[in-house]
Amino acid sequence: ERGILAQVGPPPPHPPAGPARRDGPDSTAELELEVLRDTRNRTIRALCGQRSMPHSVWELPPGQRRTVLQHLLVSDKYRFLYCYVPKVACSNWKRVLKVLHGALESVDVKGKMDHKSDLVFLSDMTPEEISYRLKHYYKFIFVRNPIERLLSAYRNKFGEIKEYQLKYGVEIIRRYRKNGGNSAGDDVSFSEFLQYLLDEDVERMNEHWMPIYNLCQPCAVSYDFIGSYEQLHTDASHVLEHIHSPSSVRFPERQAWYKPVTAQTLHYYLCSTPRRLIKELLPKYILDFSLFAYPLPNITSEFCRQ
């Protein structure tokens, strides 16, 4: 049976000899991408090959199984499963799915995304239907640097979304700030947010900051491809080509209102946060760092002096 590491194929081949070899920025970038994918391959194979790890969704505890099945979107028309991860371009992937199935005219249609309607979730199906699709459909996910994903969720949910400010922000401030009872939840600090994550049970976390491992269970589901936010359009084009998407359907550009996490922004937040908090939080996200080959955040004094 095909292993999890089939998602990016066999180890990268040696560059062809002689005049056929391409040099320059493009070939260098492609080689680096091959090495990254191979690293993810090997790491996932090593971890998921252990006996103690789940090897199918049916081996997962009911709560964990429910989570992953609720995050696997189904296309019977194109025979694929996509595990959506909030804050990893999942809204745009949902736009693509809706266009592929005729529920949306174009990926460029403006308006608030409805994250439920016109989408089919694997959790809506019977055990037999689930097993068939897991065995026979092309399966993919997209991942992102864990710290950047957390920062993106923090800035978006507590800086822009009143529902999150009232539901989570008020509670966070009440819990961690003296005399914070009158807060509207819109002034949560990044440090308070990280302390909240540190104290929260991973299985009970909101999907926007739950670790990708827990959302998509890459040991229990043999993904055929793991794309990354950092290579979003290259990897998205690979997926669209693989599923034989119509040439008229492309992956959309970033929304104009979106505020990206830049290197400068990440530097500011990392270096303005107590080092202890970041160090203590890392174990909760360590599988996302290690499985998907992301470096641990640099919080050294030298880095922060720059």
Side-chain angles (χ1 to χ4, degrees), residues 63-85:
Q64 293 179 22
R65 181 166 63 246
R66 183 166 54 252
T67 295
V68 67
L69 294 180
Q70 288 173 343
H71 283 81
L72 281 163
L73 290 166
V74 182
S75 171
D76 283 330
K77 183 177 180 181
Y78 290 91
R79 295 176 66 84
F80 70 77
L81 301 177
Y82 158 57
C83 187
Y84 79 87
V85 178

mmCIF file of all heavy atoms in Angstrom, residues 63-85:
data_model
loop_
_atom_site.group_PDB
_atom_site.id
_atom_site.type_symbol
_atom_site.label_atom_id
_atom_site.label_comp_id
_atom_site.label_asym_id
_atom_site.label_seq_id
_atom_site.Cartn_x
_atom_site.Cartn_y
_atom_site.Cartn_z
ATOM 1 N N GLY A 63 -13.119 11.798 19.189
ATOM 2 C CA GLY A 63 -13.015 13.251 19.048
ATOM 3 C C GLY A 63 -12.023 13.648 17.976
ATOM 4 O O GLY A 63 -12.286 14.548 17.170
ATOM 5 N N GLN A 64 -10.872 12.979 17.924
ATOM 6 C CA GLN A 64 -9.865 13.286 16.914
ATOM 7 C C GLN A 64 -10.345 12.885 15.523
ATOM 8 O O GLN A 64 -10.097 13.584 14.542
ATOM 9 C CB GLN A 64 -8.558 12.566 17.248
ATOM 10 C CG GLN A 64 -7.894 13.082 18.512
ATOM 11 C CD GLN A 64 -6.614 12.338 18.828
ATOM 12 O OE1 GLN A 64 -5.985 11.736 17.957
ATOM 13 N NE2 GLN A 64 -6.206 12.376 20.094
ATOM 14 N N ARG A 65 -11.041 11.754 15.451
ATOM 15 C CA ARG A 65 -11.580 11.325 14.157
ATOM 16 C C ARG A 65 -12.622 12.320 13.652
ATOM 17 O O ARG A 65 -12.623 12.699 12.472
ATOM 18 C CB ARG A 65 -12.204 9.928 14.278
ATOM 19 C CG ARG A 65 -12.770 9.429 12.942
ATOM 20 C CD ARG A 65 -13.068 7.945 12.977
ATOM 21 N NE ARG A 65 -14.084 7.585 13.946
ATOM 22 C CZ ARG A 65 -13.871 6.839 15.026
ATOM 23 N NH1 ARG A 65 -12.660 6.377 15.278
ATOM 24 N NH2 ARG A 65 -14.846 6.543 15.849
ATOM 25 N N ARG A 66 -13.463 12.792 14.534
ATOM 26 C CA ARG A 66 -14.486 13.773 14.146
ATOM 27 C C ARG A 66 -13.832 15.050 13.613
ATOM 28 O O ARG A 66 -14.267 15.611 12.598
ATOM 29 C CB ARG A 66 -15.387 14.084 15.341
ATOM 30 C CG ARG A 66 -16.536 15.050 15.028
ATOM 31 C CD ARG A 66 -17.560 15.060 16.131
ATOM 32 N NE ARG A 66 -16.971 15.329 17.444
ATOM 33 C CZ ARG A 66 -16.836 14.427 18.405
ATOM 34 N NH1 ARG A 66 -17.244 13.181 18.209
ATOM 35 N NH2 ARG A 66 -16.292 14.740 19.572
ATOM 36 N N THR A 67 -12.766 15.496 14.276
ATOM 37 C CA THR A 67 -12.084 16.724 13.842
ATOM 38 C C THR A 67 -11.544 16.589 12.425
ATOM 39 O O THR A 67 -11.768 17.459 11.575
ATOM 40 C CB THR A 67 -10.926 17.076 14.803
ATOM 41 O OG1 THR A 67 -11.465 17.398 16.094
ATOM 42 C CG2 THR A 67 -10.139 18.271 14.294
ATOM 43 N N VAL A 68 -10.813 15.511 12.143
ATOM 44 C CA VAL A 68 -10.211 15.383 10.815
ATOM 45 C C VAL A 68 -11.280 15.186 9.740
ATOM 46 O O VAL A 68 -11.187 15.763 8.651
ATOM 47 C CB VAL A 68 -9.149 14.264 10.772
ATOM 48 C CG1 VAL A 68 -9.759 12.890 10.959
ATOM 49 C CG2 VAL A 68 -8.366 14.315 9.467
ATOM 50 N N LEU A 69 -12.315 14.412 10.034
ATOM 51 C CA LEU A 69 -13.365 14.203 9.026
ATOM 52 C C LEU A 69 -14.128 15.492 8.735
ATOM 53 O O LEU A 69 -14.596 15.717 7.609
ATOM 54 C CB LEU A 69 -14.338 13.107 9.488
ATOM 55 C CG LEU A 69 -13.754 11.693 9.590
ATOM 56 C CD1 LEU A 69 -14.811 10.707 10.057
ATOM 57 C CD2 LEU A 69 -13.153 11.249 8.257
ATOM 58 N N GLN A 70 -14.235 16.360 9.738
ATOM 59 C CA GLN A 70 -14.909 17.655 9.540
ATOM 60 C C GLN A 70 -14.045 18.635 8.761
ATOM 61 O O GLN A 70 -14.545 19.655 8.286
ATOM 62 C CB GLN A 70 -15.284 18.263 10.893
ATOM 63 C CG GLN A 70 -16.435 17.545 11.592
ATOM 64 C CD GLN A 70 -16.679 18.058 13.001
ATOM 65 O OE1 GLN A 70 -15.820 18.728 13.594
ATOM 66 N NE2 GLN A 70 -17.840 17.746 13.555
ATOM 67 N N HIS A 71 -12.750 18.332 8.631
ATOM 68 C CA HIS A 71 -11.867 19.229 7.890
ATOM 69 C C HIS A 71 -11.481 18.687 6.517
ATOM 70 O O HIS A 71 -10.748 19.348 5.778
ATOM 71 C CB HIS A 71 -10.618 19.532 8.723
ATOM 72 C CG HIS A 71 -10.880 20.525 9.804
ATOM 73 N ND1 HIS A 71 -11.452 20.179 11.011
ATOM 74 C CD2 HIS A 71 -10.710 21.872 9.851
ATOM 75 C CE1 HIS A 71 -11.605 21.263 11.755
ATOM 76 N NE2 HIS A 71 -11.167 22.298 11.081
ATOM 77 N N LEU A 72 -11.980 17.517 6.170
ATOM 78 C CA LEU A 72 -11.715 16.964 4.851
ATOM 79 C C LEU A 72 -12.871 17.295 3.911
ATOM 80 O O LEU A 72 -13.988 16.798 4.079
ATOM 81 C CB LEU A 72 -11.508 15.454 4.938
ATOM 82 C CG LEU A 72 -10.119 15.022 5.423
ATOM 83 C CD1 LEU A 72 -10.125 13.576 5.881
ATOM 84 C CD2 LEU A 72 -9.067 15.230 4.328
ATOM 85 N N LEU A 73 -12.602 18.164 2.942
ATOM 86 C CA LEU A 73 -13.592 18.539 1.944
ATOM 87 C C LEU A 73 -13.524 17.564 0.774
ATOM 88 O O LEU A 73 -12.437 17.126 0.385
ATOM 89 C CB LEU A 73 -13.340 19.966 1.461
ATOM 90 C CG LEU A 73 -13.643 21.048 2.505
ATOM 91 C CD1 LEU A 73 -13.045 22.384 2.089
ATOM 92 C CD2 LEU A 73 -15.148 21.197 2.692
ATOM 93 N N VAL A 74 -14.692 17.254 0.215
ATOM 94 C CA VAL A 74 -14.799 16.202 -0.790
ATOM 95 C C VAL A 74 -15.181 16.762 -2.155
ATOM 96 O O VAL A 74 -16.094 17.590 -2.258
ATOM 97 C CB VAL A 74 -15.864 15.161 -0.374
ATOM 98 C CG1 VAL A 74 -15.950 14.032 -1.388
ATOM 99 C CG2 VAL A 74 -15.577 14.626 1.021
ATOM 100 N N SER A 75 -14.500 16.307 -3.182
ATOM 101 C CA SER A 75 -14.939 16.532 -4.561
ATOM 102 C C SER A 75 -15.104 15.173 -5.220
ATOM 103 O O SER A 75 -14.120 14.517 -5.561
ATOM 104 C CB SER A 75 -13.923 17.359 -5.347
ATOM 105 O OG SER A 75 -14.292 17.377 -6.722
ATOM 106 N N ASP A 76 -16.350 14.745 -5.365
ATOM 107 C CA ASP A 76 -16.599 13.484 -6.060
ATOM 108 C C ASP A 76 -16.392 13.659 -7.564
ATOM 109 O O ASP A 76 -15.984 12.722 -8.259
ATOM 110 C CB ASP A 76 -18.024 12.997 -5.782
ATOM 111 C CG ASP A 76 -18.153 12.374 -4.393
ATOM 112 O OD1 ASP A 76 -17.153 11.804 -3.898
ATOM 113 O OD2 ASP A 76 -19.235 12.482 -3.791
ATOM 114 N N LYS A 77 -16.652 14.864 -8.057
ATOM 115 C CA LYS A 77 -16.499 15.124 -9.490
ATOM 116 C C LYS A 77 -15.045 14.981 -9.918
ATOM 117 O O LYS A 77 -14.739 14.403 -10.961
ATOM 118 C CB LYS A 77 -17.005 16.529 -9.804
ATOM 119 C CG LYS A 77 -16.968 16.900 -11.285
ATOM 120 C CD LYS A 77 -17.563 18.282 -11.505
ATOM 121 C CE LYS A 77 -17.538 18.661 -12.975
ATOM 122 N NZ LYS A 77 -18.104 20.023 -13.190
ATOM 123 N N TYR A 78 -14.133 15.491 -9.112
ATOM 124 C CA TYR A 78 -12.707 15.445 -9.452
ATOM 125 C C TYR A 78 -11.927 14.436 -8.604
ATOM 126 O O TYR A 78 -10.711 14.350 -8.714
ATOM 127 C CB TYR A 78 -12.091 16.842 -9.317
ATOM 128 C CG TYR A 78 -12.573 17.787 -10.394
ATOM 129 C CD1 TYR A 78 -13.707 18.582 -10.184
ATOM 130 C CD2 TYR A 78 -11.951 17.852 -11.636
ATOM 131 C CE1 TYR A 78 -14.183 19.428 -11.172
ATOM 132 C CE2 TYR A 78 -12.412 18.697 -12.634
ATOM 133 C CZ TYR A 78 -13.532 19.486 -12.402
ATOM 134 O OH TYR A 78 -14.002 20.321 -13.385
ATOM 135 N N ARG A 79 -12.633 13.721 -7.759
ATOM 136 C CA ARG A 79 -12.070 12.623 -6.965
ATOM 137 C C ARG A 79 -10.861 13.063 -6.132
ATOM 138 O O ARG A 79 -9.761 12.519 -6.270
ATOM 139 C CB ARG A 79 -11.709 11.435 -7.865
ATOM 140 C CG ARG A 79 -12.924 10.794 -8.519
ATOM 141 C CD ARG A 79 -12.526 9.678 -9.471
ATOM 142 N NE ARG A 79 -11.930 8.547 -8.772
ATOM 143 C CZ ARG A 79 -12.606 7.554 -8.181
ATOM 144 N NH1 ARG A 79 -13.926 7.569 -8.182
ATOM 145 N NH2 ARG A 79 -11.967 6.554 -7.581
ATOM 146 N N PHE A 80 -11.092 14.048 -5.270
ATOM 147 C CA PHE A 80 -10.036 14.432 -4.343
ATOM 148 C C PHE A 80 -10.612 14.803 -2.988
ATOM 149 O O PHE A 80 -11.806 15.097 -2.847
ATOM 150 C CB PHE A 80 -9.173 15.580 -4.902
ATOM 151 C CG PHE A 80 -9.855 16.928 -4.996
ATOM 152 C CD1 PHE A 80 -10.047 17.730 -3.870
ATOM 153 C CD2 PHE A 80 -10.263 17.421 -6.233
ATOM 154 C CE1 PHE A 80 -10.644 18.980 -3.960
ATOM 155 C CE2 PHE A 80 -10.869 18.674 -6.336
ATOM 156 C CZ PHE A 80 -11.057 19.452 -5.193
ATOM 157 N N LEU A 81 -9.747 14.751 -1.971
ATOM 158 C CA LEU A 81 -10.053 15.199 -0.617
ATOM 159 C C LEU A 81 -9.038 16.277 -0.258
ATOM 160 O O LEU A 81 -7.837 16.095 -0.465
ATOM 161 C CB LEU A 81 -9.938 14.051 0.391
ATOM 162 C CG LEU A 81 -10.827 12.825 0.179
ATOM 163 C CD1 LEU A 81 -10.505 11.765 1.242
ATOM 164 C CD2 LEU A 81 -12.299 13.205 0.244
ATOM 165 N N TYR A 82 -9.517 17.382 0.273
ATOM 166 C CA TYR A 82 -8.648 18.481 0.681
ATOM 167 C C TYR A 82 -8.874 18.752 2.162
ATOM 168 O O TYR A 82 -9.985 19.056 2.575
ATOM 169 C CB TYR A 82 -8.957 19.728 -0.152
ATOM 170 C CG TYR A 82 -8.525 21.032 0.476
ATOM 171 C CD1 TYR A 82 -7.193 21.255 0.842
ATOM 172 C CD2 TYR A 82 -9.444 22.054 0.701
ATOM 173 C CE1 TYR A 82 -6.803 22.458 1.420
ATOM 174 C CE2 TYR A 82 -9.065 23.267 1.271
ATOM 175 C CZ TYR A 82 -7.737 23.458 1.625
ATOM 176 O OH TYR A 82 -7.360 24.641 2.203
ATOM 177 N N CYS A 83 -7.842 18.615 2.966
ATOM 178 C CA CYS A 83 -7.960 18.923 4.388
ATOM 179 C C CYS A 83 -7.668 20.405 4.573
ATOM 180 O O CYS A 83 -6.524 20.845 4.394
ATOM 181 C CB CYS A 83 -6.994 18.089 5.230
ATOM 182 S SG CYS A 83 -7.285 18.311 7.013
ATOM 183 N N TYR A 84 -8.689 21.170 4.893
ATOM 184 C CA TYR A 84 -8.494 22.618 4.985
ATOM 185 C C TYR A 84 -7.936 23.002 6.357
ATOM 186 O O TYR A 84 -8.322 22.463 7.387
ATOM 187 C CB TYR A 84 -9.798 23.366 4.693
ATOM 188 C CG TYR A 84 -10.807 23.437 5.805
ATOM 189 C CD1 TYR A 84 -10.752 24.458 6.762
ATOM 190 C CD2 TYR A 84 -11.846 22.506 5.906
ATOM 191 C CE1 TYR A 84 -11.687 24.540 7.783
ATOM 192 C CE2 TYR A 84 -12.775 22.583 6.921
ATOM 193 C CZ TYR A 84 -12.695 23.601 7.859
ATOM 194 O OH TYR A 84 -13.611 23.682 8.887
ATOM 195 N N VAL A 85 -6.979 23.908 6.324
ATOM 196 C CA VAL A 85 -6.337 24.423 7.532
ATOM 197 C C VAL A 85 -6.562 25.925 7.583
ATOM 198 O O VAL A 85 -6.049 26.641 6.714
ATOM 199 C CB VAL A 85 -4.822 24.114 7.538
ATOM 200 C CG1 VAL A 85 -4.171 24.703 8.791
ATOM 201 C CG2 VAL A 85 -4.577 22.614 7.462
#
